[in-house]
Amino acid sequence: MSEPTGGALLVDDRADRMVVTLNRPAARNAIDQAMIGELHAVCDRLEAGPRPLIIIGSGGVFAGGADIAQLRDRRRGEALLGINSRLFDRIAKLPQPTVAAVAGPALGGGAELAYACDIRLAAPTARFGNPEPGLGILAAAGASWRLSELVGRSVAKQVLLGGSTLDAERALRVGLVADIVQEADLLGAAHALVDRMLRAVPLALRLTKLVLDAPGPHPVADDLAQAILFETEEKHERMTQFLERSRK
């Protein structure tokens, strides 16, 4: 059962996953200071009790960007604090996988929140874009490097410099989203994806994410992570079950 956290989010906190709904529909789910604080509280819970996270927007919109009224009044000191970038980096580093279920616009800070998630699913209405230069700023909460990692430098420059938006079909073609599903089925598809994840051993999933996100080649990290997993009961039990099934 989703519960309000103070107005900006609805949180469905389950034993095996968490579902967070961005809940400022009158403001197109713009990411304001209150929402940032509530998302940090979500991170507190998920760091203490690691589970997969699904993020979705209310009212047919993922997030239309940062709250411009608040952003306009920020000065150099606030920029150096990295208010949005620190949050999105924290979400990207959560121990278990994160899924953004995107319907409608995911623009500016909303796009950067989606980019920070491990996997994105899109409704046909989804649109990703970063119009920040038109407001006299840059996309400084991860898009300037995270989008390039996701879709390549050329497409990232089309979005960040050329002002292009990626609709669902193009986002699928360039690999930004994993699948396109009808909006009515979007949350169900996100849950089905998490169900598949949960069939894996949690520690194996956690270490896979950690190694995947490590910078540069990391054969030593691979070996160390594998050494940890080779010593677990889950590894022995899963492989024994596999061998028993294969003999039948």
Side-chain angles (χ1 to χ4, degrees):
M1 187 74 168
S2 294
E3 60 184 42
T5 60
L9 303 179
L10 296 174
V11 175
D12 183 2
D13 194 354
R14 306 184 185 186
D16 65 349
R17 73 195 71 186
M18 184 182 288
V19 183
V20 168
T21 303
L22 310 180
N23 190 44
R24 299 185 69 218
R28 302 208 315 161
N29 299 329
I31 300 170
D32 67 349
Q33 194 65 48
M35 185 181 287
I36 290 168
E38 291 174 34
L39 284 168
H40 274 298
V42 163
C43 291
D44 288 342
R45 292 198 218 178
L46 293 175
E47 288 163 355
R51 287 154 287 157
L53 168 67
I54 297 169
I55 302 178
I56 193 167
S58 62
V61 174
F62 186 72
D67 189 296
I68 301 301
Q70 291 183 5
L71 201 59
R72 181 187 59 185
D73 294 333
R74 290 182 188 170
R75 306 293 290 182
R76 178 172 50 202
E78 286 88 354
L80 292 173
L81 289 174
I83 293 169
N84 287 15
S85 63
R86 299 298 184 272
L87 169 65
F88 298 159
D89 196 46
R90 193 177 179 190
I91 289 170
K93 291 177 179 175
L94 285 171
Q96 290 291 333
T98 54
V99 179
V102 179
L107 303 175
E112 290 177 301
L113 174 57
Y115 303 156
C117 292
D118 295 308
I119 300 175
R120 287 150 296 281
L121 300 175
T125 57
R127 287 188 301 117
F128 300 87
N130 289 95
E132 286 91 339
L135 295 169
I137 59 174
L138 60 86
S144 59
W145 54 273
R146 195 170 272 133
L147 182 60
S148 182
E149 291 179 353
L150 291 169
V151 301
R153 189 173 297 273
S154 176
V155 175
K157 285 185 175 183
Q158 292 169 44
V159 174
L160 296 168
L161 300 179
S164 296
T165 58
L166 304 178
D167 62 17
E169 290 291 343
R170 190 171 181 212
L172 181 64
R173 287 199 303 273
V174 300
L176 182 60
V177 303
D179 200 3
I180 300 172
V181 296
Q182 292 301 312
E183 186 170 344
D185 302 322
L186 186 59
L187 184 56
H191 277 296
L193 176 57
V194 169
D195 289 341
R196 291 201 301 275
M197 292 174 178
L198 291 173
R199 290 199 285 270
V201 174
L203 182 59
L205 210 58
R206 182 171 184 171
L207 289 176
T208 298
K209 176 173 176 173
L210 192 65
V211 170
L212 265 171
D213 288 342
H218 35 67
V220 174
D222 289 359
D223 292 344
L224 290 172
Q226 192 74 298
I228 292 169
L229 291 168
F230 271 20
E231 292 296 317
T232 63
E233 287 298 321
E234 291 91 340
K235 173 253 188 183
H236 186 268
E237 291 173 3
R238 295 279 184 118
M239 291 191 176
T240 299
Q241 291 167 3
F242 173 85
L243 291 170
E244 290 174 350
R245 288 196 302 270
S246 67
R247 293 192 191 105
K248 294 179 180 178

